Amino acid sequence: VEIQPEGSQPPIFCVHGGGGTILLLASLAPRFGADQPVYGLQARGLYGKVAPLRTIEEMAAHYLSEMRQVHPGGPWRVSGYCFGAIVAFEIAQQLVAQGETVELLAMFNGPSPIWIRKWVWHGNQPSQRHKQRRSAPLTKAQRIGRALREPHRFRTALVRTVARPRTRVALALGRPIPEEVRESFFFGLHHEAEVAYQPQVYPGEILTFYGDGLYEDPELGWGGLAQGGIRTFAIPGADDNNRQAMMEPGASVVAARID
């Protein structure tokens, strides 16, 4: 997907997160400047018509073939957001195996498969667990009061209630399935792919960008998998999810370190 196609520099390619879309690049891409092309790699089959890919190796090979449509030869600049970091890692491995030059491999809040198999998500880290603790269950009156203060909860409950019948109707009529159902499917598919992937040591360098306070390990579990070493960059702010690294002020921090 063309995010910012103009510029004389080798393009930066960024692989989608678990949900499959590349919408978060809209904030990050302009921060690289007018001379830096940026392309997003969106999940195959995200909007139907073709079957989605189910392994990291298949995704990397397919995305690399797409990348060559706009950039036939190196040097290559590859990155990945969240889940996409693992696919970007495999793309870089395939490029090196083909004798190509990878001058950038960057992970944006993208832990390794080793980290994921250990922690699953950032909320399971010891430093994060206290934030996830729940108080005693709310009473019925408290739930009603909370819903009145936060009307979006009514919509969320309604969406969950009607998602399955809406999906059946959409499939029967040949129409797009509800967005929340599609997203849930791709999150599940991509999680299966990431935990199954067995990374090999990469001969180059890796850059990791992580939300300050969001991850305990600045290397995001990639330690020992890069012969060229790992450079880590904390993204300041009160981060409580992966998306904030791709928005301001985090986006400017990322762009400045890559530039």
Side-chain angles (χ1 to χ4, degrees), residues 89 93 107 112-115 198-206 208 217-232:
F89 180 84
Q93 293 280 46
M107 318 310 205
S112 75
I114 298 169
W115 188 98
Q198 299 295 329
Q200 304 300 311
V201 176
Y202 172 65
E205 178 188 58
I206 294 176
T208 63
D217 178 11
E219 295 184 342
L220 301 177
W222 294 104
L225 289 172
Q227 286 183 349
I230 298 177
R231 284 192 287 154
T232 65

Side-chain angles (χ1 to χ4, degrees), residues 14-79:
C14 187
V15 183
H16 61 81
T21 69
I22 43 79
L23 298 177
L24 287 173
L25 285 177
S27 296
L28 177 61
R31 304 301 181 271
F32 291 119
D35 197 40
Q36 176 60 69
V38 180
Y39 291 86
L41 292 159
Q42 186 168 269
R44 183 177 185 268
L46 186 64
Y47 299 112
K49 299 183 181 179
V50 294
L53 301 171
R54 294 184 173 273
T55 70
I56 298 298
E57 293 85 352
E58 290 175 334
M59 294 176 198
H62 174 69
Y63 297 160
L64 181 52
S65 70
E66 294 292 307
M67 292 159 62
R68 291 190 184 281
Q69 300 301 311
V70 296
H71 190 60
W76 295 90
R77 298 176 177 179
V78 188
S79 63

Side-chain angles (χ1 to χ4, degrees), residues 134 136-154 157:
R134 298 179 181 273
L138 298 178
T139 65
K140 183 176 181 180
Q142 288 173 324
R143 289 197 301 271
I144 293 174
R146 183 180 65 177
L148 291 174
R149 292 191 303 272
E150 305 174 48
H152 71 274
R153 292 183 180 274
F154 284 116

Side-chain angles (χ1 to χ4, degrees), residues 113-190:
I114 298 169
W115 188 98
I116 290 168
R117 285 193 284 269
K118 180 177 181 179
W119 298 113
V120 182
W121 75 299
H122 60 79
N124 288 333
Q125 300 170 104
S127 63
Q128 296 285 325
R129 286 176 185 162
H130 72 282
K131 300 178 182 179
Q132 310 303 325
R133 292 175 185 162
R134 298 179 181 273
S135 56
L138 298 178
T139 65
K140 183 176 181 180
Q142 288 173 324
R143 289 197 301 271
I144 293 174
R146 183 180 65 177
L148 291 174
R149 292 191 303 272
E150 305 174 48
H152 71 274
R153 292 183 180 274
F154 284 116
R155 180 183 179 280
T156 300
L158 181 61
V159 165
R160 290 175 178 172
T161 301
V162 303
R164 183 168 294 181
R166 280 181 63 200
T167 302
R168 290 174 178 167
V169 171
L171 291 173
L173 298 177
R175 295 177 179 174
I177 65 172
E179 180 180 352
E180 61 275 6
V181 175
R182 181 194 70 216
E183 184 177 74
S184 177
F185 169 80
F186 274 94
F187 271 121
L189 182 151
H190 291 147

